Amino acid sequence: MTASLATRLAIPAVLGVLALSLSACGSDDDQGDQDKPSDAPTSDTGNTGDTGDTDDTDMGDTDTGDADAGDTEPAGDACAFASAEDLSAAAGQEIEAGAAGPELCFFTLVGPDTDITINYTKVQLDLTEYIDGTREACDDEATDVDAEGDTAFVCETYPGAIGYRFDDTDLLTVVVTADPNADAAGLESARELAARLVPVLQYQG
């Protein structure tokens, strides 16, 4: 066989081998593409875990109204034993009402530095012995006061004077507190004021 003939016979064989090789490569590439994991799209659910940005409910701004516990009735009207008007009329000087409770009332004599306190006590002891003991506790001799038949008297007690009115076992006292530096005249003035105020005291039991 001549060389030219051998060459012509070899060309188809080479072409066949090349075809088979290309076919095999294409098949491998396809298989490789199938074997690759698909890029699954990531699911974006948003920032659902962020609970810090919730609506702020401000419980501190709750409006409960402007209720002012200090807006109580004037003590002069609330005091169960005497009003500022009655005390002023008896004293001949202006007396202003202060705080008041069920058994205690505070007043102030306008002008001089004088506080007035009215107190209620229910006497639980023998009444006669209690009255006698109260008189003996005075800094000076007690002076009786006309109080519509009730036992009533005043006396000095530092620094001022105190008046007592017994309606059976219901006792009302009025304490007139003078300036601690008051002289004898000042104490006597406090005593006179207490004597004027005692008849005004009324127990409304």
Side-chain angles (χ1 to χ4, degrees), residues 6 19 26 28 63 90 100 104 107 116 132 135 149 154 156 159 188 192:
D28 291 339
D63 185 8
L104 191 64
F107 297 87
I116 301 170
D132 292 342
R135 287 180 180 273
V154 297
E156 291 182 9
E188 181 61 28
E192 291 177 0

Side-chain angles (χ1 to χ4, degrees), residues 107-109 111-117 155-162 174-194 197:
F107 297 87
T108 301
L109 181 65
D113 185 14
T114 305
D115 293 327
I116 301 170
T117 306
C155 61
E156 291 182 9
T157 180
Y158 181 83
I162 185 169
V174 55
V175 179
V176 179
T177 304
D179 188 329
N181 299 319
D183 54 15
L187 293 176
E188 181 61 28
S189 177
R191 182 189 180 110
E192 291 177 0
L193 178 58
L197 299 182

Side-chain angles (χ1 to χ4, degrees), residues 75-155:
D77 296 332
C79 184
F81 317 119
S83 67
E85 291 77 10
D86 290 341
L87 294 175
S88 296
Q93 303 177 68
E94 184 181 358
I95 294 178
E96 291 183 345
E103 297 180 350
L104 191 64
C105 304
F106 296 94
F107 297 87
T108 301
L109 181 65
V110 177
D113 185 14
T114 305
D115 293 327
I116 301 170
T117 306
I118 299 174
N119 182 57
Y120 168 77
T121 302
K122 184 70 174 179
V123 179
Q124 304 291 342
L125 305 176
D126 180 83
L127 185 58
T128 300
E129 292 181 0
Y130 189 92
I131 292 174
D132 292 342
T134 301
R135 287 180 180 273
E136 293 174 1
C138 290
D139 292 343
D140 66 345
E141 184 176 355
T143 302
D144 290 334
V145 175
D146 185 6
E148 300 177 352
D150 291 340
T151 300
F153 53 90
V154 297
C155 61

